Amino acid sequence: MKLLQSPAVRIGLSISIATGLYGVSFGALSVTSGLDFWQTMALSLLLFSGGSQFAFIGVVAGGGSGVAAMGAATLLGMRNGIYGMQINALLQPRGWHRFAAAQLTIDESTATSTGQTDPAEQRRGFWTTGIGVFVLWNLFTALGALAGGALGDPKQWGLDGAAVAAFLGLLWPRLKGREPMAIAAVCALATVLAVPYVPPGVPILVAAVVAAGIGWFSHGRSDEGLEPDVDPYAEHHAHGRRDHPEENPGDRTGGTA
Amino acid sequence: MNLWMWLLLSCLLAYAWKLLGYLVPSSLLRNPRMSRIAGTMTIGLLASLTVVNAVASGQSLVLDARLGALAAAGVALWFRAPFLVVVIAGAAAAAGLRLLGWN
């Protein structure tokens, strides 16, 4: 009973429900992309990182090869390594906890945990969100995969449009300020230019190289783009970062000179 | 069987990224440039995936009902709709436009 009074647990549970539910769209899109039920479930159980899972099926749906799908999913999973470092510094899990924590390290569990200040709350936030999202994400993936397989022609139901919307929905929360928008625009342009000249799936990897180049040579906020898919603190913090792009010292120098 | 292989390899590599963060001394990975690249790459890949799914068809660029889905999702996100509503808006727009005869 006392556990439910913890703010981190309550945030964790609400984020689990919000995130878990969209496992339905992943499951449905995955089977209409040509993966079977068990391949879909393997992605949700073993890979367990929404963006990477959507990337994998997105490349396969577009006629891309398995290698290209793997490339996109793996590159998109890079940020989980950064999250792992943050969680390791906060919680210092030992023994098998560390291996379990690694699998549960995703946007949402990291955001819930790092958003808390009390160490006990950070711990509760991480585990509640990680386990909660894992359970619900997999349940709803199964539901979506079974329903999606029963739908018939996916185009008739606009499921290719649903995939477009899903990717835009994952991108949107990261577009806070002028710089991430510029990065998104440049990478979108690079993709469009590459499509006619390289095999399906590869334009996405071209964009990854462009994005990595921008990250290497520019000097913006170091956590740019590492916002969670669904922000557990959106209600409270929505007006924090978003309204203060001048937080970034790089932006200041431009206008005044 | 071939797809299974790449799929399982993807799962393995995804777990490897996650575990790496826990095993590598934090001073080494807490390099600001590393987190910055992880961030810009996330933005770039998601932008690219959005565009590919909206206008690419194999190796050609096609303008079809999926553009309506992109617009509808944009409007839904602008009004801060939850993720699931955004996805449904995209599907409804594409399905609706096709019903109206725009492939």
Side-chain angles (χ1 to χ4, degrees), chain A residues 115-134:
Chain A
Q116 296 291 325
T117 44
D118 172 38
E121 283 292 277
Q122 289 171 342
R123 192 173 304 274
R124 286 185 205 123
F126 176 80
W127 290 104
T128 311
T129 313
I131 295 169
V133 172
F134 187 83

Side-chain angles (χ1 to χ4, degrees), chain A residues 62-247:
Chain A
S65 64
V67 196
M70 183 186 75
T74 304
L75 288 172
L76 205 43
M78 183 187 175
R79 67 186 192 285
N80 289 328
I82 308 289
Y83 296 157
M85 228 172 50
Q86 293 172 330
I87 297 299
N88 191 37
L90 284 183
L91 310 185
Q92 295 172 334
R94 291 281 163 260
W96 68 268
H97 280 102
R98 172 181 275 190
F99 294 94
Q103 177 65 347
L104 298 179
T105 299
I106 51 169
D107 293 322
E108 290 77 11
S109 56
T110 307
T112 311
S113 180
T114 55
Q116 296 291 325
T117 44
D118 172 38
E121 283 292 277
Q122 289 171 342
R123 192 173 304 274
R124 286 185 205 123
F126 176 80
W127 290 104
T128 311
T129 313
I131 295 169
V133 172
F134 187 83
V135 170
L136 290 175
W137 177 254
N138 277 285
L139 274 177
F140 281 100
T141 296
L143 196 70
L146 294 173
L151 282 180
D153 180 13
K155 276 198 166 181
Q156 186 197 337
W157 300 96
L159 282 182
D160 51 349
V164 176
F167 284 118
L168 191 64
L170 292 173
L171 173 65
W172 195 272
R174 302 172 208 277
L175 298 180
K176 293 172 184 167
R178 211 178 306 158
E179 208 203 351
M181 285 188 198
I183 296 169
V186 169
C187 291
L189 184 66
T191 306
V192 170
L193 293 177
V195 163
Y197 301 105
V198 291
V202 179
I204 297 157
L205 304 181
V206 171
V209 172
V210 172
I214 296 173
W216 182 271
F217 290 110
S218 61
H219 302 282
R221 252 176 49 217
S222 68
D223 62 343
E224 192 90 82
L226 295 179
E227 284 82 6
D229 293 348
V230 178
D231 188 352
Y233 299 101
E235 305 274 305
H236 317 283
H237 292 185
H239 301 289
R241 262 188 195 160
R242 205 169 300 213
D243 293 350
H244 299 287
E246 64 273 15
E247 248 174 50

